[in-house]
Amino acid sequence: MLETLRRIIQEVNAARDLNAALEVIVERVQRAMRAHVCSVYLYNDEREEYRFMATRGLNREAVGKIVIRASEGLVGLVGERAEPINLDHAPSHPRYLHIEEIGEDPYQSFLGVPIVNQRRVLGVLVVQQREARRYDESEEAFLITLSAQLAGVILHAHATGSLQDLERAGLATGHFDGAAGAPGVALGTAAVMYHQVAFDTIPDRDAGNVGHEEQRFLDAIVSTRNQIQDLKTRLSGLVPEQELALFEAYDRMLDESISGEVLEVIREGQWAEGALRRVIENHVAAFESMNDEYLRERGADVRDLGHRVLASLQESRHARVDFPTETILVADELTTTMLSEVPLTNLVGMVSVRGSRNSHAAIMAHSLGIPAVVGAEDLPIDLVEGTPLIVDGFQGTIISYPSKEQRAHYERIVEEEAALVEGLVEIRDEPSVTPDGHQVQLWVNTALMADAYRALDRGAQGVGLYRTEIPFMMKDRFPTEEEQRAIYREHLEAFAPNTVTMRTLDIGGDKMLPYFPIEEENPFLGWRGIRVTLDHPEFFLSQVRAMIRANEGVDADLRIMLPMISSVTEVDEALRLIQQCYREIVEEGVQVEMPDVGVMIEVPSAVYQAVDIIKRVDFLSVGSNDLVQYMLAVDRNNQRVASLFQDFHPSVLQALQQVVDAAHAEKKTIGICGEMAGNPASAALLMAMGYDVLSMNSPNVLLIKAMVRGFALGRAKALLERVMAMDNPHLIKNMVEQELRDAGLGRLLRTGGKP
Ligand code: PEP
Ligand code: MG
């Protein structure tokens, strides 16, 4: 059974579009279950009805024509209950609906299972039998398992199909949902970028110069052949002869089938990478659907061969330079390096198929002030190159081929946004003080010099978090102490004499250095942040030395901050190393002050030990992105659980209050540098809790300043008191937002909106 399941899923995955996928499903399920009938009904949320989409056994003429209201029939009942219905004599059930044209009169037994994705019913899969008999448990289990796997495939095929239809039809519109990555709205043209050597993210693209593409491909074949020869020579004598025969087979495949087919697709106007992907995928699918296990395994060989040719092709690929004037960067997984390839003057929006609101791609977008949608898993990335797109970073939606009305609607939002920012510019140099005289420091989070300049532009008074790993990611090896010193110095000079809080290298989790890969099953619970740098004191020492030396003669208020601390022993060890660096530097004759050292509170254990930690250091800063992730056990990158990532969760609020109290009891300062600090609603609560510093992405500084200047501390404290007695995150969020509206600050709660 498992094997049959696997095969069906593979075939469905390889289907061209939704209809082809549904045809495969009904055909294979009918056969596998020896059913007389197998049909699929798909649900339309807006119209609240099921459409008869594919069948084997019933009247195929009726496909696409019959609709059943959600409240009708056994199909409707399966959807309503979201659970299987297994009947030996369906016609006698009160919900049985007789539809003449569909031709189900002869069938007595009925088994319908819902096709569900993330609590949403997408459709119903039905098998029927002539004789009156109940399907047994194993048959029911088979259909349930299959339908659970099909949900994702159907969603994707739906999206792919609809975009293809749109392309054919010209200018109809498509909607794709993701999560709000960074606020704002952008109108532009999609430019797809992909990771090196990853077939599934290679887009279709126009060949441009066909002759040139052919030549690139032929060169790649020559170079792949040479590599295979080399490999064979190196391995001969080391592996059995029959294993080496694989290389002969590779050679033949390149010669006989693959090259000719790829060249044909290129001549039809497809660029070399796209043509190669199509041909390899077809071959892999053909092998993988074979019954013979040996032949099925050959699919993996073809894929491997394909990757080798692709790698050779990509060596010849120069960095992309042809970005549309209003580029919406689309990638399977956005990385900082990709961002660095697009001229910032062209970049208006970003879309990442993977990731969620709290992943670093979103944070980068946020800090650059670029609207972004992340976790847009249904966007058919290989088809969107060159497509006109609207990115709605408030709602987390993408619109392809927008209509005139949609364009007009979103252009209006862009104008309103600009007016809001414009309106806030007048408070740029005003103090961030509440109407009842309470001052809150509003600082910025930075990563690149571009952020620093933008931050200064918005009147930022200091840096609460400098993510030093980002400049590390832009390199192809570890930067030397001297290189780091120069980078840090620029930052310190830009803000002197104000505070610049430099965080020591925080890699691991979802932040990888291309030249220092860390492969783990559970990277967020693994070798991350301070754990890596304490295990590699040579990185830590050279970074800390670079930070301290960078301040020579600049005299900014440099502070050093430690990420991912989960116990005091890490603090003690890091402090010992920092003090060692400082002593050495002074002995070398450099005149600098010992920087303040602080700890990020991002792990629940650090909340409970905040009292012990603060006694050892000068300040604390809460990394709420990670703290929420670890407290609520919700992966900050996983779109599937994004709705559970709740800043207003009562446990989170209690932890945040506890940490402030611990710091203030020792008369030390405490800030917060997670995304919560840049959201007017959560920032109001943080201010009431007593946070001295709110550090955020620079595009939010004026927004938060407007909140602070319009919302009295007394009012915020009264609100906090009410909130702390509540137990439901949604109600808390609503209450805080309503209070801001009542205070006349509703315009700061930016949400955009669908037309
Ligand atoms: C955080 O975790 O809240 C934080 C500020 O650090 P990062 O987002 O870089 O992990
Ligand atoms: Mg963090």
Side-chain angles (χ1 to χ4, degrees):
M1 255 337 185
L2 203 59
E3 188 46 35
T4 316
L5 262 171
R6 198 178 69 87
R7 211 112 38 78
I8 297 179
I9 303 290
Q10 256 171 12
E11 282 186 58
V12 174
N13 259 321
R16 255 180 356 269
D17 55 26
L18 180 61
N19 282 336
L22 297 180
E23 286 299 313
V24 172
I25 294 169
V26 290
E27 155 94 42
R28 302 292 186 269
V29 173
Q30 186 201 32
R31 209 177 333 141
M33 293 188 69
R34 295 202 180 84
H36 294 132
V37 172
C38 177
S39 316
V40 176
Y41 300 78
L42 288 191
Y43 187 58
N44 182 326
D45 300 18
E46 273 162 33
R47 306 165 73 109
E48 298 187 356
E49 63 189 25
Y50 289 88
R51 187 170 289 269
F52 180 55
M53 290 296 288
T55 188
R56 284 293 176 278
L58 298 184
N59 179 11
R60 288 171 78 174
E61 301 268 296
V63 163
K65 296 183 191 132
I66 301 293
V67 287
I68 301 173
R69 280 209 296 278
S71 55
E72 283 181 352
L74 290 170
V75 167
L77 191 61
V78 172
E80 241 166 63
R81 294 194 183 160
E83 64 178 7
I85 291 186
N86 188 351
L87 302 170
D88 51 1
H89 192 256
S92 58
H93 191 280
R95 277 287 287 264
Y96 181 78
L97 179 71
H98 182 256
I99 303 172
E100 185 71 44
E101 308 86 306
I102 223 166
E104 59 186 343
D105 288 352
Y107 305 105
Q108 301 294 315
S109 53
F110 171 103
L111 170 59
V113 299
I115 305 171
V116 182
N117 184 274
Q118 296 214 305
R119 304 185 192 184
R120 201 176 124 208
V121 175
L122 304 177
V124 174
L125 180 60
V126 176
V127 287
Q128 292 171 281
Q129 217 74 24
R130 254 186 223 108
E131 60 279 10
R133 73 152 177 104
R134 250 179 94 81
Y135 283 90
D136 69 26
E137 271 184 12
S138 70
E139 289 169 314
E140 191 173 319
F142 173 79
L143 210 59
I144 292 172
T145 316
L146 183 66
S147 119
Q149 302 241 23
L150 289 179
V153 181
I154 288 183
L155 261 183
H156 186 74
H158 212 328
T160 314
S162 64
L163 203 74
Q164 275 170 339
D165 293 343
L166 296 175
E167 276 186 316
R168 270 184 236 121
L171 291 172
T173 300
H175 260 273
F176 302 95
D177 285 332
V185 161
L187 295 88
T189 308
V192 179
M193 286 180 83
Y194 53 91
H195 291 284
Q196 298 271 310
V197 198
F199 265 121
D200 49 352
T201 56
I202 291 188
D204 275 346
R205 194 179 283 170
D206 243 2
N209 181 339
V210 169
H212 177 244
E213 289 303 290
E214 282 182 285
Q215 196 51 51
R216 281 180 60 227
F217 176 69
L218 291 172
D219 292 347
I221 292 288
V222 172
S223 135
T224 312
R225 278 232 163 84
N226 292 341
Q227 282 172 21
I228 292 174
Q229 262 318 319
D230 276 359
L231 214 64
K232 195 176 152 196
T233 322
R234 261 188 289 141
L235 290 179
S236 47
L238 298 174
V239 299
E241 268 306 301
Q242 73 258 34
E243 295 293 327
L244 290 178
L246 176 68
F247 298 113
E248 308 284 336
Y250 274 10
D251 225 34
R252 270 200 310 280
M253 274 195 265
L254 282 179
D255 225 11
E256 288 163 10
S257 42
I258 293 178
S259 292
E261 288 174 36
V262 173
L263 286 171
E264 223 167 90
V265 183
I266 294 177
R267 285 179 201 129
E268 285 166 14
Q270 185 61 225
W271 70 320
E273 280 88 341
L276 178 69
R277 186 205 75 227
R278 283 194 193 177
V279 170
I280 295 292
E281 279 181 350
N282 283 343
H283 280 268
V284 170
F287 274 114
E288 287 184 345
S289 64
M290 288 178 181
N291 274 323
D292 182 286
E293 190 173 353
Y294 174 79
L295 288 175
R296 264 202 317 278
E297 288 304 321
R298 301 288 63 77
D301 296 338
V302 179
R303 192 178 285 117
D304 176 50
L305 181 60
H307 274 130
R308 286 172 192 280
V309 182
L310 183 61
S312 306
L313 256 181
Q314 290 183 335
E315 271 168 28
S316 74
R317 188 182 74 106
H318 298 296
R320 183 174 174 164
V321 283
D322 55 331
F323 289 99
T325 14
E326 288 176 333
T327 293
I328 293 185
L329 179 58
V330 180
D332 182 48
E333 190 151 27
L334 269 178
T335 62
T336 318
T337 3
M338 282 178 186
L339 281 179
S340 66
E341 281 191 41
V342 190
L344 283 182
T345 41
N346 292 37
L347 187 62
V348 297
M350 302 201 263
V351 175
S352 185
V353 170
R354 288 193 226 170
S356 82
R357 183 165 66 91
N358 301 291
S359 48
H360 282 93
I363 291 175
M364 284 297 294
H366 218 125
S367 82
L368 290 169
I370 303 223
V373 172
V374 293
E377 286 174 4
D378 300 322
L379 186 78
I381 183 170
D382 44 352
L383 295 175
V384 294
E385 175 69 28
T387 303
L389 290 186
I390 290 178
V391 169
D392 178 347
F394 293 118
Q395 301 279 344
T397 45
I398 302 155
I399 299 175
S400 61
Y401 298 106
S403 66
K404 236 173 49 213
E405 296 72 32
Q406 283 169 323
R407 246 176 204 289
H409 171 82
Y410 280 102
E411 274 161 2
R412 210 169 43 245
I413 295 184
V414 172
E415 277 164 28
E416 283 168 11
E417 266 299 291
L420 172 65
V421 174
E422 189 91 336
L424 294 178
V425 168
E426 62 191 36
I427 58 168
R428 180 185 176 275
D429 297 318
E430 300 294 326
S432 49
V433 175
T434 59
D436 49 356
H438 173 73
Q439 179 161 23
V440 190
Q441 298 289 338
L442 303 185
W443 292 356
V444 284
N445 297 347
T446 56
L448 304 168
M449 269 321 278
D451 306 324
Y453 293 131
R454 186 190 290 263
L456 289 168
D457 226 33
R458 313 246 160 158
Q461 295 291 310
V463 175
L465 165 65
Y466 171 33
R467 290 186 166 98
T468 58
E469 56 281 354
I470 307 292
F472 274 64
M473 287 179 192
M474 314 293 258
K475 298 236 174 250
D476 51 14
R477 54 168 175 76
F478 278 103
T480 62
E481 179 181 324
E482 192 46 35
E483 283 170 332
Q484 291 184 57
R485 193 189 66 89
I487 298 171
Y488 303 155
R489 191 175 176 86
E490 242 189 314
H491 238 79
L492 291 164
E493 278 171 345
F495 286 92
N498 291 336
T499 306
V500 176
T501 313
M502 296 197 176
R503 174 170 75 182
T504 61
L505 198 63
D506 186 22
I507 53 170
D510 63 344
K511 284 179 292 190
M512 287 300 156
L513 300 179
Y515 44 88
F516 188 70
I518 301 172
E519 296 208 353
E520 291 176 318
E521 289 272 322
N522 262 318
F524 275 109
L525 298 184
W527 208 41
R528 221 200 131 182
I530 197 77
R531 300 171 182 181
V532 179
T533 49
L534 287 183
D535 282 352
H536 276 282
E538 73 280 19
F539 300 162
F540 191 78
L541 291 169
S542 85
Q543 186 175 35
V544 170
R545 282 182 55 89
M547 288 173 178
I548 300 178
R549 285 180 51 227
N551 205 18
E552 186 186 11
V554 179
D555 299 326
D557 175 26
L558 166 68
R559 309 197 304 175
I560 295 179
M561 185 157 80
L562 310 169
M564 262 304 272
I565 292 288
S566 58
S567 83
V568 292
T569 50
E570 290 164 335
V571 182
D572 291 339
E573 180 62 9
L575 281 171
R576 188 182 67 72
L577 292 173
I578 295 171
Q579 276 146 7
Q580 176 188 325
C581 285
Y582 180 68
R583 267 197 315 276
E584 282 168 12
I585 291 169
V586 171
E587 277 165 24
E588 288 161 19
V590 179
Q591 289 190 353
V592 279
E593 296 270 313
M594 169 70 189
D596 276 358
V597 179
V599 161
M600 287 189 79
I601 304 291
E602 338 188 61
V603 178
S605 62
V607 172
Y608 291 105
Q609 276 206 293
V611 175
D612 307 303
I613 293 173
I614 189 60
K615 291 198 169 112
R616 291 165 156 82
V617 291
D618 304 300
F619 67 94
L620 297 180
S621 180
V622 176
S624 56
N625 307 335
D626 278 314
L627 185 60
V628 172
Q629 150 164 279
Y630 293 125
M631 279 196 72
L632 304 185
V634 176
D635 177 349
R636 63 194 268 187
N637 282 316
N638 186 344
Q639 178 57 17
R640 201 175 287 173
V641 288
S643 62
L644 300 177
F645 192 99
Q646 292 155 339
D647 290 342
F648 292 93
H649 194 292
S651 311
V652 171
L653 298 180
Q654 281 177 35
L656 290 170
Q657 182 68 69
Q658 198 172 320
V659 180
V660 178
D661 295 344
H664 285 174
E666 288 295 313
K667 308 221 165 359
K668 307 254 175 95
T669 58
I670 176 154
I672 177 160
C673 56
E675 298 302 294
M676 281 182 85
N679 170 326
S682 39
L685 292 183
L686 295 168
M687 176 175 92
M689 286 177 189
Y691 278 85
D692 307 296
V693 177
L694 305 181
S695 187
M696 65 207 74
N697 296 311
S698 63
N700 291 342
V701 171
L702 293 180
L703 205 67
I704 300 300
K705 196 188 273 189
M707 183 280 291
V708 171
R709 293 175 59 81
F711 204 64
L713 180 67
R715 186 168 189 169
K717 284 195 162 164
L719 173 66
L720 179 67
E721 204 178 307
R722 270 184 287 152
V723 157
M724 285 306 222
M726 293 167 69
D727 59 7
N728 181 318
H730 301 286
L731 298 181
I732 293 176
K733 181 165 185 278
N734 287 347
M735 174 178 284
V736 178
E737 290 185 348
Q738 190 52 47
E739 187 75 10
L740 287 185
R741 277 188 210 100
D742 293 347
L745 300 173
R747 71 185 194 288
L748 305 180
L749 302 170
R750 302 178 306 169
T751 51
K754 291 195 170 113

